[in-house]
């Protein structure tokens, strides 16, 4: 199919009378691209991986040759992000030593470098979660140098026949060491060109911020610890989004409670404090009807278009087996559909391809073999997909004169572009450019500061009128173009427009030839 640009003189269209748009403007209509995977920020499918011995040495080979219902595929062709979830002790085996250091050669460091290099080769951004608690693990997830530090206190649990140790998160020595680690991560990875998001808090069972044990053996330190750890992440990462699990037992000693209005109110109040600090949201029980329930669904609806949500399924084929029948699922194809429906109801921006070493019993394999059409449907409909469906611009411009451009934007996705998170404040803007006709690169760029990309939601076209005095522009022939630029990157395009054609290699949407006098 061919991209269509429709040009018509506004002077011949009575609909524009009285709008303030000069009659000599020319109208441009744009046909959207509804299917292409755009690797735009905070959008798309997320590949999961870890640093422990459960990670296959052939990870990338396996994922580059994944069997699917459509034949062998390359998983990274459908994803935007590689999410590395690992133990703090794997990321930071010795004090001031980290897996990304060239001289650190532990097995987790070798795996980390393999994953990070492979992600870069496949145009995937990284994401991280740093797990502190050793509950249900087979080795200590907190580094030995922290465990052995004077004044450190913690507790022992047993996984199978293995005793493992975890710190009390209200211990001040622990907090000092964890702060040092998180700040070291931020110094290296608070880089939105490399990292998609950072998942906090790392505390609690499985790092999911529930089943947290304190030195007091009650919840008395809960809010102090919550305030400390959320401030730590929010202050460390100024440029990369940070996310928190909107769990009903957030930083509570409990793993779950079904109906407790008082505790649910506490959870909502704490989570709102994190959101106010700039946290975005994630949940890891999508599709689990016994754990992703009315409270969770309502919280997601309440934060719709205020913060982006990352969806992660809860059922694990390799370990849960036929337990899915308790939720009314007959097969893992049904589970995938249940996860998808929960994700759509929450208007999520991102979904998960979780990892299992036994690939054929893993969630990624299941998605590509049991629910491939849903993968493609999420790429098409999930998150955000932005384009201007119609614009009005002048084809003749005189230096010293004021021009008027009208433009209307649509979002075809059920999510939104989270330009309203603090880490992205004033980062992404609409810009019009006069492109060189030969190189198709911008000679002059004009930012329209009025549009907020986070306002663009499905079913609600956003209209704008941009006026600008043109001066000191060299006479000649140019091409009008529009782009969604990153103001921190010299106004280069930062978000790809979902238009079918006429996109330059740099991401500008060509609109109209223009003569400047």
């Amino acid at each position: 199919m061919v991209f269509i640009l429709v040009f018509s003189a506004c002077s011949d269209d009575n609909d524009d009378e009285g709008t303030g748009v000069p009659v000599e403007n020319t109208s441009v209509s744009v046909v959207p691209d509804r299917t292409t995977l755009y690797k735009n920020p905070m959008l798309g499918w997320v590949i999961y991986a870890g640093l422990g011995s459960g990670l296959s040495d052939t990870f990338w080979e396996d994922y580059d040759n994944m069997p699917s219902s459509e034949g062998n595929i390359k998983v990274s062709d459908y994803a935007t992000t590689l999410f590395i979830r690992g133990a703090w002790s794997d990321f930071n085996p010795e004090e001031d030593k980290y897996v990304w250091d060239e001289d650190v050669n532990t097995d987790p460091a070798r795996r980390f470098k393999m994953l990070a290099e492979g992600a870069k080769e496949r145009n995937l951004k990284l994401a991280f979660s740093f797990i502190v608690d050793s509950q249900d693990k087979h080795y200590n997830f907190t580094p030995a140098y922290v465990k052995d530090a004077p004044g450190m206190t913690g507790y022992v649990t047993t996984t199978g026949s293995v005793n493992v140790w975890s710190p009390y998160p209200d211990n001040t020595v622990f907090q000092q060491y964890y702060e040092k680690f998180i700040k070291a991560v931020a110094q290296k990875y608070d880089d939105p060109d490399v990292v998609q998001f950072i998942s906090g808090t790392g505390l609690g069972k499985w790092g999911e911020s529930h089943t947290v044990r304190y030195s007091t053996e009650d919840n008395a330190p809960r809010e102090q610890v919550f305030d400390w750890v959320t401030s730590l992440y929010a202050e460390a990462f100024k440029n990369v989004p940070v996310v928190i699990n909107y769990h009903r037992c957030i930083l509570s000693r409990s793993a779950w409670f079904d109906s407790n209005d008082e505790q649910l109110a506490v959870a909502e109040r704490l989570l709102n404090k994190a959101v106010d600090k700039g946290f975005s949201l994630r949940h890891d029980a999508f599709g689990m009807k016994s754990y992703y329930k009315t409270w969770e669904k309502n919280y997601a609806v309440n934060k719709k278009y205020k913060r982006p949500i990352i969806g992660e399924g809860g059922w694990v084929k390799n370990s849960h087996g036929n337990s899915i029948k308790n939720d009314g699922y007959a097969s893992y194809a049904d589970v995938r559909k249940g996860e998808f429906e929960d994700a759509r109801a929450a208007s999520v921006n991102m979904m998960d391809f979780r990892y299992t070493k036994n690939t054929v019993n893993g969630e990624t394999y299941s998605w590509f073999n049991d629910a491939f059409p849903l993968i493609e449907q999420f790429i098409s409909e999930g998150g955000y997909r932005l384009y201007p469906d119609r614009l009005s611009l002048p084809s003749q411009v005189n230096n010293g004169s004021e021009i008027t451009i009208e433009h209307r934007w649509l979002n075809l996705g059920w999510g939104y572009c989270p330009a309203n998170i603090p880490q992205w404040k004033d980062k992404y803007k609409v810009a019009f450019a006069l492109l060189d006709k030969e190189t198709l690169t911008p000679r002059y760029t004009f930012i329209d500061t009025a549009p907020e990309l986070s306002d663009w939601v499905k079913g609600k076209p956003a209209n704008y009128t941009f006026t600008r005095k043109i001066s000191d522009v060299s006479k000649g022939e140019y091409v009008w173009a529009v782009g969604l630029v990153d103001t921190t990157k010299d106004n280069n395009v930062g978000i790809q427009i979902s238009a079918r054609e006429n996109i330059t290699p740099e991401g500008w949407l060509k609109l109209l030839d223009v003569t400047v006098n």
Side-chain angles (χ1 to χ4, degrees):
M1 289 182 283
V2 178
F3 173 71
I4 302 171
L5 289 178
V6 180
F7 304 105
S8 60
C10 289
S11 56
D12 295 331
D13 187 348
N14 292 331
D15 288 344
D16 288 318
E17 290 182 1
T19 64
V21 179
V23 294
E24 63 269 20
N25 268 21
T26 299
S27 294
V28 179
S29 297
V30 178
V31 174
D33 175 352
R34 297 177 181 271
T35 58
T36 298
L37 168 66
Y38 291 101
K39 297 201 174 187
N40 283 329
M42 289 300 284
L43 178 69
W45 287 96
V46 180
I47 298 171
Y48 282 45
L51 298 181
S53 59
L55 185 76
S56 170
D57 289 336
T58 59
F59 177 86
W60 287 120
E61 181 181 347
D62 297 341
Y63 270 53
D64 286 347
N65 298 277
M66 178 69 69
S68 82
S69 58
E70 303 292 327
N72 279 15
I73 57 88
K74 190 174 182 179
V75 177
S76 57
D77 287 345
Y78 297 83
T80 63
T81 307
L82 176 70
F83 186 16
I84 303 175
R85 301 194 296 182
W88 177 14
S89 56
D90 286 342
F91 279 102
N92 178 202
E94 301 175 34
E95 189 167 10
D96 299 321
K97 294 291 185 181
Y98 307 100
V99 287
W100 53 82
D101 293 337
E102 290 185 6
D103 61 346
V104 174
N105 298 306
T106 61
D107 285 342
R110 176 182 56 80
R111 296 180 190 113
F112 178 86
K113 294 176 176 70
M114 176 267 290
L115 289 170
E117 290 167 5
K120 184 176 181 180
E121 291 170 2
R122 292 161 180 81
N123 193 26
L124 300 172
K125 288 187 179 181
L126 300 175
F128 297 112
S129 179
F130 314 107
I131 303 172
V132 171
D133 201 301
S134 307
Q135 292 181 76
D136 203 35
K137 303 300 182 182
H138 289 86
Y139 61 98
N140 288 342
F141 269 42
T142 292
Y145 77 86
V146 177
K147 177 179 181 292
D148 296 337
M152 178 60 64
T153 56
Y155 60 96
V156 174
T157 55
T158 301
T159 306
S161 60
V162 180
N163 292 331
V164 290
W165 181 89
S166 301
Y168 289 124
D170 54 319
N171 179 278
T172 57
V173 177
F174 158 75
Q175 292 184 4
Q176 290 167 7
Y177 279 110
Y178 196 53
E179 283 185 17
K180 182 179 179 181
F181 168 65
I182 293 300
K183 289 176 181 178
V185 175
Q187 185 176 6
K188 174 71 174 178
Y189 284 113
D190 188 24
D191 182 353
D193 291 339
V194 177
V195 175
Q196 192 81 269
F197 63 84
I198 301 289
S199 181
T201 62
L203 305 179
K205 195 172 186 179
W206 310 317
E208 293 180 357
S209 301
H210 60 77
T211 323
V212 180
R213 288 183 59 176
Y214 300 103
S215 63
T216 58
E217 294 298 335
D218 60 21
N219 277 326
R222 178 185 182 187
E223 187 155 0
Q224 180 276 324
V225 171
F226 183 89
D227 290 342
W228 160 74
V229 74
T230 51
S231 292
L232 169 62
Y233 274 81
E235 292 169 8
F237 296 97
K238 298 295 188 183
N239 302 301
V240 169
V242 289
V243 301
I244 192 168
N245 186 3
Y246 56 103
H247 199 285
R248 63 175 63 197
C249 296
I250 187 75
L251 288 203
S252 169
R253 284 172 52 83
S254 300
W256 181 258
F257 44 77
D258 222 355
S259 57
N260 185 322
D261 290 343
E262 181 180 353
Q263 287 301 312
L264 290 173
V266 171
E268 183 170 358
R269 181 174 60 80
L270 292 178
L271 287 166
N272 287 344
K273 290 171 73 172
V275 168
D276 290 343
K277 291 179 182 179
F279 275 79
S280 298
L281 299 167
R282 65 180 297 269
H283 204 284
D284 44 30
F286 278 71
M288 298 189 90
K289 298 176 184 178
S290 298
Y291 292 98
Y292 195 77
K293 303 179 76 172
T294 300
W295 184 87
E296 288 75 18
K297 293 176 181 180
N298 287 343
Y299 192 82
V301 169
N302 180 260
K303 294 296 181 278
K304 187 175 182 178
Y305 308 141
K306 298 175 183 175
R307 291 291 184 266
I309 297 176
I310 299 170
E312 177 184 316
W315 288 108
V316 180
K317 186 176 182 180
N318 195 46
S319 57
H320 290 146
N322 288 327
S323 298
I324 59 173
K325 293 180 179 178
N326 296 329
D327 264 0
Y329 296 123
S331 67
Y332 274 87
D334 288 344
V335 170
R336 303 286 86 93
K337 184 177 180 181
E339 292 170 348
F340 183 88
E341 293 301 330
D342 277 350
R344 176 159 53 188
S347 302
V348 306
N349 272 30
M350 310 184 84
M351 291 184 68
D352 69 288
F353 290 143
R354 279 169 291 148
Y355 176 75
T356 301
K357 190 171 186 178
N358 181 3
T359 304
V360 296
N361 281 319
E363 272 51 61
T364 301
Y365 183 94
S366 175
W367 273 110
F368 280 101
N369 287 274
D370 298 328
F372 204 142
L374 294 182
I375 294 174
E376 296 176 317
Q377 187 175 348
F378 180 70
I379 291 171
S380 176
E381 300 176 8
Y384 60 91
R385 184 173 286 268
L386 311 176
Y387 83 106
D389 72 327
R390 64 189 190 196
L391 310 93
S392 171
L393 310 92
S395 59
Q396 297 280 336
V397 174
N398 296 319
N399 270 289
S401 67
E402 187 175 82
I403 65 166
T404 297
I405 297 175
E406 284 207 337
H407 49 118
R408 186 173 83 165
W409 292 83
L410 281 75
N411 179 359
L412 300 177
W414 66 47
Y416 86 116
C417 179
N420 58 345
I421 62 175
Q423 298 86 357
W424 289 6
K425 181 176 174 57
D426 297 325
K427 181 177 174 69
Y428 296 109
K429 291 293 180 182
V430 175
F432 293 92
L434 293 171
L435 304 184
D436 184 287
K437 292 200 75 170
E438 298 299 323
T439 65
L440 295 180
T441 56
R443 292 281 304 278
Y444 304 91
T445 303
F446 312 101
I447 304 292
D448 188 349
T449 59
E452 295 291 344
L453 277 61
S454 56
D455 292 339
W456 302 349
V457 299
K458 190 171 185 177
K460 295 183 178 180
N463 294 278
Y464 304 95
T465 299
F466 176 51
T467 57
R468 173 68 183 251
K469 185 176 181 180
I470 300 298
S471 60
D472 299 322
V473 174
S474 298
K475 296 179 181 180
E477 302 294 321
Y478 299 91
V479 177
W480 272 123
V482 66
L484 301 175
V485 300
D486 184 341
T487 61
T488 70
K489 298 291 184 183
D490 297 322
N491 294 328
N492 289 313
V493 170
I495 292 175
Q496 295 295 316
I497 291 174
S498 297
R500 194 175 294 171
E501 281 189 2
N502 272 19
I503 299 290
T504 72
E506 288 76 25
W508 292 92
L509 172 61
K510 295 185 294 180
L511 300 171
L512 176 70
D513 288 343
V514 56
T515 301
V516 177
N517 300 310

